[in-house]
């Protein structure tokens, strides 16, 4: 199945001499996330709780799939491939996905002026577009939280710069907001 999850993008950023934006951002997290039932093939439930275990999210295959993944503005209607990359990509993930607590932290670069302007205007959240298998066997996390199913074999296709992310807004690109919510420029 193909899924989309999102988080807000933040972290230290810098602009290159050519105007590109380089950042490290949290992008994907472990734990339970809520999906509409129809997203998971479960027509009789409005909301489905899907568990993403550390063993799956942090597996070598999953982490490797981030290497050079394209960054897009919003999610495209199809997976990013060699056939449509030129039309869809506005940047890319670097090669060094890192485990950062419950998150995967990624170095990335935005190379498109429209994408950088969108980020400057507040579009800071990242949403991962990926494929995985769903095991719809209910269970409980090691912390005792009930779930309806779990994701296995997670492989990233792209990261999208979005307005609102499913995984919340904990991770941000270049957001130096203070406690009052005031933002400063980079």
């Amino acid at each position: 199945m193909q899924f989309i999850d999102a988080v807000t993008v933040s972290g230290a950023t810098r602009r290159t001499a050519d105007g590109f934006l380089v950042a490290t951002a949290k992008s994907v997290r472990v734990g339970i996330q809520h999906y509409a039932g129809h997203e998971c093939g479960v027509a009789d439930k409005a909301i489905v709780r899907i568990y993403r275990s550390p063993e799956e999210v942090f597996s070598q295959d999953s982490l490797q799939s981030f290497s050079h993944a394209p960054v897009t503005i919003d999610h495209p209607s199809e997976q990013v491939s060699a056939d449509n990359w030129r039309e869809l990509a506005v940047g890319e993930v670097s090669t060094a996905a890192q485990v950062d607590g419950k998150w995967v932290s990624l170095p990335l670069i935005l190379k498109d002026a429209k994408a950088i302007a969108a980020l400057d205007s507040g579009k800071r959240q990242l949403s991962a577009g990926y494929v995985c298998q769903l095991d719809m066997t209910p269970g409980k996390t090691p912390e005792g939280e009930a779930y309806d199913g779990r994701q296995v074999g997670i492989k990233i296709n792209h990261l999208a710069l979005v307005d609102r992310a499913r995984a919340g807004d904990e991770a941000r690109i270049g957001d130096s907001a203070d406690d009052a919510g005031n933002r400063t420029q980079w």
Side-chain angles (χ1 to χ4, degrees):
M1 289 194 117
Q2 182 174 349
F3 281 91
I4 296 169
D5 286 330
V7 295
T8 306
V9 202
S10 75
T13 65
R14 69 177 172 84
R15 306 268 177 140
T16 69
D18 297 323
F20 301 146
L21 187 134
V22 178
T24 299
K26 292 178 181 177
S27 63
V28 174
R29 68 174 171 83
V30 301
I32 293 177
Q33 292 192 27
H34 297 128
Y35 293 85
H38 68 84
E39 290 179 289
C40 301
V42 181
D44 62 334
K45 286 190 175 184
I47 301 294
V48 180
R49 297 170 49 87
I50 300 296
Y51 179 51
R52 294 166 14 141
S53 72
E55 294 78 20
E56 292 296 331
V57 173
F58 302 148
S59 76
Q60 195 60 30
D61 286 345
S62 181
L63 292 176
Q64 288 286 108
S65 72
F66 282 102
S67 291
H68 301 292
V71 176
T72 63
I73 298 177
D74 296 315
H75 285 287
S77 59
E78 58 193 315
Q79 294 230 4
V80 180
S81 68
D83 294 327
N84 60 19
W85 174 88
R86 186 172 302 281
E87 293 81 37
L88 300 175
V90 296
E92 74 175 40
V93 175
S94 186
T95 59
Q98 298 289 321
V99 174
D100 184 1
K102 293 168 63 170
W103 295 87
V104 174
S105 186
L106 302 168
L108 54 93
I109 184 167
L110 296 180
K111 296 183 175 184
D112 181 82
K114 285 189 266 184
I116 295 167
L119 186 106
D120 286 342
S121 296
K123 191 177 198 113
R124 300 180 184 279
Q125 295 191 15
L126 281 177
S127 179
Y130 58 97
V131 295
C132 70
Q133 292 81 47
L134 274 181
D135 173 358
M136 293 305 294
T137 306
K140 289 192 177 189
T141 68
E143 297 78 28
E145 291 181 84
Y147 60 80
D148 301 305
R150 63 188 190 94
Q151 294 178 348
V152 296
I154 300 165
K155 299 283 191 309
I156 300 301
N157 174 260
H158 65 277
L159 289 179
L161 191 59
V162 297
D163 293 313
R164 184 139 175 89
R166 180 187 320 266
D169 63 357
E170 185 174 325
R172 298 181 177 274
I173 287 179
D175 182 9
S176 55
D178 61 20
D179 291 338
N182 300 312
R183 302 198 190 289
T184 57
Q185 293 295 336
W186 298 308

